[in-house]
Amino acid sequence: MRPVSTQSRVMLAALVLGLPLLSLVILPTLGIADPGAVDRTPAWVVPGTAAFCVALAVALDWGLRRHRIALDASALEVTTSFYRRRIALGDLRIDQARVADLDERTELRPALKTNGTGLPGFKSGWFRLRNGNKALVATVGGRRALWLPTRLGYDLLLEPVRPQALLDRLRELAAPKPGR
């Protein structure tokens, strides 16, 4: 799979770490909060919040870097952020799969996040595509992606480094073997 961009990782860290900590420091000094409230705040709140935000940022960054595809003779395994599926090759509709330019085939773009992570340049988890299909999505903002329908009630929308090479390998593994 194509790795997640540094820009997406920095954006996530800014949202999870920077925004809460900045609000803890800035809001009381701007007088937005009750001026006397700062004196009544327990001493552990700022360091406790900082520790929680750092732990959350580290866990989410780990999830962003957990982005891979494994293929063997019997199944395709997709791992992306906090999601993992192993799909038997027989459950893939490889004959209908295609490498698509998402700028041209807009019906294959993720439209509605139902259970996943969506940042500019990163989509991972369960989405509804613009065509209405449910899909497990693992993309990092590129134009070319592998759309792979399954017989399991959902599609896969993946962004491997070489989508055509993965599709060719899937077709090779799914082809009937001589003598069988």
Side-chain angles (χ1 to χ4, degrees), residues 33-52:
D34 176 17
V38 175
D39 297 333
R40 292 189 299 258
T41 302
W44 61 267
V45 169
V46 172
T49 301
F52 174 77

Side-chain angles (χ1 to χ4, degrees), residues 42-69:
W44 61 267
V45 169
V46 172
T49 301
F52 174 77
C53 289
V54 167
L56 183 60
V58 168
L60 292 174
D61 187 64
W62 170 81
L64 289 181
R65 291 182 285 117
R66 191 174 176 252
H67 197 65
R68 64 185 157 275
I69 296 172

Side-chain angles (χ1 to χ4, degrees), residues 76-110:
L76 172 71
E77 185 171 324
V78 178
T79 305
T80 179
S81 67
F82 304 105
Y83 306 90
R84 188 167 123 185
R85 286 284 167 165
R86 184 171 172 83
I87 303 125
L89 294 181
D91 288 332
L92 299 174
R93 294 183 173 161
I94 297 170
D95 57 320
Q96 296 176 13
R98 76 180 114 223
V99 176
D101 182 329
L102 297 179
D103 287 343
E104 294 173 6
R105 301 296 308 262
T106 58
E107 73 274 11
L108 297 178
R109 284 181 157 188

Side-chain angles (χ1 to χ4, degrees), residues 10-21 53 119-120:
V10 168
M11 181 177 289
L12 182 67
L15 289 172
V16 172
L17 187 58
L19 199 57
L21 295 179
C53 289
L119 293 168

